[in-house]
Amino acid sequence: MFNDTICAPASAPVNSSLAIIRISGSKSYGTAYSFFSPKEKIKHRFAAYGSIRDGDEIIDDVILIYYKSPSSFTGEDMVEIFCHGNHLIAGRILRLLYKHEIRIAEPGEFSKRAFLNGKMDLTEAEAINALINARSDWEIKASINQMHGSLRAIIDKLRNDVIMLKGDIEAGIDFSDQDIEFVSNTESLNIVSDILDSLIELQRRCNIGNRTARGIDVVLAGRPNVGKSSLLNLILNEERAIVSHIPGTTRDLIRESIQIGGVRVNLTDTAGLCIPGDDIEKIGVELSRKNIDKASLVLMVVDASCGITDEDRDIISMLREKNVIYALNKIDLTGDKWKDIIKSEELSLVPISAKFGTGFKELENKIASVIAGEFVDINGSFLVDERIISIIDGSIEIAQRVVELLKLKEPCEIITFELDELISRLSDITGEITTEDVLGSIFSRFCIGK
């Protein structure tokens, strides 16, 4: 399919123990044979140790692996060179490849060739990019599952169901003069309704996945000087926020991302909720309230040395519609009196000392538990881009139209036309039907060398 051969570094351009250079195309083997020694070691899927030479000069001692088409990532002849990780060495090897009329690859061109050569579909290709950019264990797991066909399997089943229904309806049209019914209107309606339900469920799982990938918004809230900033520093394991015994130290929002329970969490420390003493503090309190309103989860901090005050109860009342975890901080200052607070309150309080880290693991487990409870289908969700989301949305609209057409018992020719459009839409997801513009948009987001 491609007449030219491409190359690119597949590792970062920094000094490291190893660097990787990839070559793909018809000239891969011949070029490697021309500069690698000993040449007889170059075999399919064999890690050959030797030297790369530019004339009589040794550039580096390397490991070279040759992959014969079609048994490679791209489906073409491929070579991967593992050299020492000095970017000057990698640069010399690349310049040697340029001399052999091998050009530098465009972003995502290796993956694009793999797709065009039938080594993967678009759902798997896009999962590769998601894996490279993943920021949490869950994103890595979801990306790997999609690379192994979890999303494709669902799309293939839906598409096959539509194709079979369309075939049965068309057969009925062909044999209409013989009064043979391959599938009844009622059966067709049941099948399309099931397809519609599956598409809506897929849409929901994609939306959950995308929301989770952006991170769960967790806001620290409470009165001034209850230890919110100390708790933020404890969770982040760094001195991110200024901590002082003076109330109202935090006046602006402090945002950081961290992984809790395998999921990315966007943690925000806010100004203490109180009657503001000046205009700056007033702005801080207003920002706090806005962020609390938008948060998926609020972590309210209470000062154990003061007990639960009237001000605390006002805040608790304000949060009654929110998903809240209550942390009873500063238990190191109270002896065993914090236990009496927990017994006397109906709230589920998690006792901690942000200063010494006491109870932190229990609090972290509580946060992870609440997140898992709110996103109960997280392990069955997908990471997809706007392209796939829009195709699923459009597919749902078509399926809804078909349901209405069947209810009205419209002519079969109209129904099969809509089903054909639905087949085309589902094929767009995996790339069975696609355009060069779409491919360019997808693969241009990849890094060079992938």
Side-chain angles (χ1 to χ4, degrees), residues 258-278:
I258 192 171
Q259 184 176 200
I260 297 178
V263 177
R264 183 168 177 254
V265 169
N266 303 319
L267 198 62
T268 303
D269 184 20
T270 61
L273 297 171
C274 62
I275 299 173
D278 54 46

Side-chain angles (χ1 to χ4, degrees), residues 145-286:
N145 285 340
Q146 283 173 223
M147 284 171 57
H148 286 262
S150 61
L151 180 55
R152 184 193 65 230
I154 292 174
I155 298 302
D156 284 349
K157 182 183 183 307
L158 287 170
R159 183 173 175 273
N160 289 336
D161 288 346
V162 179
I163 289 172
M164 289 182 64
L165 176 61
K166 178 174 176 282
D168 286 342
I169 294 175
E170 287 180 335
I173 296 172
D174 294 339
F175 289 91
S176 59
D177 58 334
Q178 300 180 33
D179 200 26
I180 298 175
E181 187 178 56
F182 285 82
V183 60
S184 69
N185 181 273
T186 301
E187 290 171 333
S188 297
L189 183 57
N190 289 336
I191 292 169
V192 177
S193 295
D194 288 343
I195 291 170
L196 176 58
D197 289 343
S198 296
L199 284 168
I200 292 171
E201 172 64 13
L202 178 61
Q203 180 190 56
R204 186 184 69 84
R205 291 166 68 179
C206 290
N207 287 336
I208 288 174
N210 286 358
R211 181 184 175 190
T212 306
R214 290 193 294 270
I216 309 302
D217 293 327
V218 178
V219 170
L220 290 162
R223 294 185 296 106
N225 209 34
V226 294
K228 297 186 299 298
S229 296
S230 296
L231 183 54
L232 175 77
N233 291 340
L234 176 66
I235 295 173
L236 299 177
N237 196 28
E238 64 172 291
E239 295 298 317
R240 177 64 179 84
I242 297 173
V243 175
S244 168
H245 68 280
I246 301 171
T249 304
T250 302
R251 295 192 169 200
D252 201 356
L253 302 176
I254 299 176
R255 291 190 179 95
E256 290 290 344
S257 292
I258 192 171
Q259 184 176 200
I260 297 178
V263 177
R264 183 168 177 254
V265 169
N266 303 319
L267 198 62
T268 303
D269 184 20
T270 61
L273 297 171
C274 62
I275 299 173
D278 54 46
D279 289 342
I280 296 176
E281 194 170 24
K282 181 180 180 182
I283 293 171
V285 171
E286 288 175 354

Side-chain angles (χ1 to χ4, degrees), residues 111-395:
S111 296
K112 183 178 180 180
R113 290 188 176 207
F115 165 73
L116 293 172
N117 288 323
K119 303 298 286 186
M120 65 175 74
D121 66 31
L122 285 186
T123 64
E124 294 165 325
E126 292 182 50
I128 292 173
N129 199 37
L131 178 64
I132 292 170
N133 295 297
R135 293 167 293 183
S136 68
D137 290 344
W138 174 80
E139 289 175 82
I140 291 173
K141 182 178 179 181
S143 300
I144 290 175
N145 285 340
Q146 283 173 223
M147 284 171 57
H148 286 262
S150 61
L151 180 55
R152 184 193 65 230
I154 292 174
I155 298 302
D156 284 349
K157 182 183 183 307
L158 287 170
R159 183 173 175 273
N160 289 336
D161 288 346
V162 179
I163 289 172
M164 289 182 64
L165 176 61
K166 178 174 176 282
D168 286 342
I169 294 175
E170 287 180 335
I173 296 172
D174 294 339
F175 289 91
S176 59
D177 58 334
Q178 300 180 33
D179 200 26
I180 298 175
E181 187 178 56
F182 285 82
V183 60
S184 69
N185 181 273
T186 301
E187 290 171 333
S188 297
L189 183 57
N190 289 336
I191 292 169
V192 177
S193 295
D194 288 343
I195 291 170
L196 176 58
D197 289 343
S198 296
L199 284 168
I200 292 171
E201 172 64 13
L202 178 61
Q203 180 190 56
R204 186 184 69 84
R205 291 166 68 179
C206 290
N207 287 336
I208 288 174
N210 286 358
R211 181 184 175 190
T212 306
R214 290 193 294 270
I216 309 302
D217 293 327
V218 178
V219 170
L220 290 162
R223 294 185 296 106
N225 209 34
V226 294
K228 297 186 299 298
S229 296
S230 296
L231 183 54
L232 175 77
N233 291 340
L234 176 66
I235 295 173
L236 299 177
N237 196 28
E238 64 172 291
E239 295 298 317
R240 177 64 179 84
I242 297 173
V243 175
S244 168
H245 68 280
I246 301 171
T249 304
T250 302
R251 295 192 169 200
D252 201 356
L253 302 176
I254 299 176
R255 291 190 179 95
E256 290 290 344
S257 292
I258 192 171
Q259 184 176 200
I260 297 178
V263 177
R264 183 168 177 254
V265 169
N266 303 319
L267 198 62
T268 303
D269 184 20
T270 61
L273 297 171
C274 62
I275 299 173
D278 54 46
D279 289 342
I280 296 176
E281 194 170 24
K282 181 180 180 182
I283 293 171
V285 171
E286 288 175 354
L287 284 172
S288 297
R289 292 180 181 275
K290 288 180 181 178
N291 276 266
I292 288 168
D293 287 341
K294 293 187 295 183
S296 300
L297 175 64
V298 177
L299 183 54
M300 180 176 171
V301 185
V302 178
D303 186 345
S305 65
C306 300
I308 297 183
T309 66
D310 291 339
E311 290 86 352
D312 290 323
R313 298 193 189 280
D314 289 340
I315 297 170
I316 291 169
S317 178
M318 183 186 78
L319 299 175
R320 62 181 177 272
E321 300 297 327
K322 302 294 296 184
N323 203 336
V324 186
I325 294 174
Y326 298 95
L328 186 63
N329 190 27
K330 303 186 184 181
I331 61 173
D332 54 290
L333 301 178
T334 68
D336 289 334
K337 291 182 180 179
W338 61 268
K339 295 179 181 178
D340 296 330
I341 298 174
I342 290 179
K343 289 178 182 178
S344 64
E345 294 294 331
E346 294 182 0
L347 298 173
S348 178
L349 294 158
V350 182
I352 63 165
S353 169
K355 183 176 182 180
F356 296 103
T358 309
F360 171 66
K361 195 64 184 176
E362 289 75 12
L363 178 63
E364 188 178 44
N365 290 339
K366 179 72 173 178
I367 296 171
S369 175
V370 170
I371 289 173
E374 182 175 351
F375 300 96
V376 290
D377 295 326
I378 189 171
N379 291 326
S381 302
F382 298 106
L383 280 172
V384 298
D385 63 7
E386 287 303 317
R387 182 188 76 88
I388 292 179
I389 288 289
S390 65
I391 293 173
I392 294 172
D393 291 345
S395 299

